[in-house]
Amino acid sequence: MKDRAHSLFPAIVLGLLAGASIWLDRVTQQDQTLPQDNSRHEPDFIVDQVRLRRYDVTGKTQYVLVADKMTHFADDESSDLTRPRLDYLNRPEPMHLESDRALVSKEGEKVLMSGNVFARRAATPDKPESTLRSDRMTVWPDDEKMLTDTPVTLTQGQTVVTAERMDADNVAGELHFNGQVRGTFYRKQISNKP
């Protein structure tokens, strides 16, 4: 009986080693077999007091984007901005855009501004200051284009225009109003000098 126990001992040890090896393999592979959840929209970093500059092909500053806070999300590479301000500086009449929040796409090519969207174009010697108000505005900063599908109010001096929708091209200097457009227009008085 003693000889039989001695002959079973190596088999028991081999069985325990094999079982431990299988268990160790499964434990180390468990992390790899768990599904990765990339669908969660969680921030990977947060930055306070952001200032970004974009330069044109000549090296001059095209625009400056400032925000109180930027939250970046890894899943879609988007960024959420708190109190963003966008200043176009490469025009004879600089333009300023601001809102409560903004969502910036992966490459920064599209910005969805929301909450108290306000735009202001500086006055020139022949034009008074212009302001634009809406609740939401999509902006393509590099192309200097804007689009809104929410009510918009444009004021230039005493002239006031309201509409349900608007698209604009800052480079071409064009504004297109759509849907229930109403306006009061004032022109400069032409003086008749003798």
Side-chain angles (χ1 to χ4, degrees):
M1 179 100 157
K2 243 182 180 183
D3 289 335
R4 195 169 187 208
H6 280 304
S7 63
L8 286 178
F9 181 71
I12 292 171
V13 170
L14 273 172
L16 286 173
L17 280 174
S21 295
I22 292 170
W23 173 80
L24 188 58
D25 182 55
R26 287 192 180 163
V27 167
T28 57
Q29 300 246 346
Q30 186 173 10
D31 291 341
Q32 296 172 359
T33 59
L34 287 176
Q36 300 259 337
D37 185 11
N38 291 334
S39 64
R40 293 181 5 189
H41 193 63
E42 294 181 352
D44 58 343
F45 66 86
I46 298 171
V47 180
D48 288 328
Q49 303 305 317
V50 176
R51 178 178 293 272
L52 303 168
R53 290 183 183 272
R54 171 73 175 189
Y55 298 95
D56 64 15
V57 293
T58 66
K60 292 171 73 176
T61 302
Q62 181 179 0
Y63 62 82
V64 176
L65 175 64
V66 178
D68 290 355
K69 181 178 173 182
M70 179 179 85
T71 305
H72 184 267
F73 298 93
D75 63 332
D76 62 358
E77 295 293 323
S78 67
S79 298
D80 183 36
L81 304 178
T82 304
R83 292 204 56 240
R85 281 96 61 206
L86 182 63
D87 289 305
Y88 285 100
L89 305 172
N90 63 343
R91 299 272 173 249
E93 61 277 353
M95 188 166 130
H96 171 82
L97 280 156
E98 64 182 59
S99 64
D100 294 339
R101 300 195 73 82
L103 183 62
V104 183
S105 65
K106 180 179 179 178
E107 299 294 326
E109 73 276 0
K110 184 165 93 171
V111 179
L112 176 59
M113 302 179 89
S114 60
N116 299 309
V117 178
F118 175 75
R120 181 181 65 246
R121 182 184 302 278
T124 63
D126 59 332
K127 285 193 289 190
E129 177 183 81
S130 300
T131 63
L132 188 81
R133 294 181 186 278
S134 188
D135 190 51
R136 189 173 55 240
M137 184 83 62
T138 303
V139 180
W140 291 267
D142 293 342
D143 298 331
E144 298 189 39
K145 294 184 179 180
M146 300 182 298
L147 172 74
T148 183
D149 59 357
T150 60
V152 63
T153 302
L154 170 74
T155 305
Q156 187 178 47
Q158 292 180 307
T159 298
V160 178
V161 178
T162 60
E164 292 177 347
R165 298 175 304 282
M166 181 212 72
D167 63 273
D169 185 332
N170 193 38
V171 175
E174 296 177 354
L175 288 169
H176 299 212
F177 294 102
N178 298 296
Q180 299 295 319
V181 179
R182 292 191 172 98
T184 306
F185 296 88
Y186 290 88
R187 293 192 294 173
K188 284 184 177 181
Q189 295 289 358
I190 299 172
S191 61
N192 293 331
K193 292 186 180 179

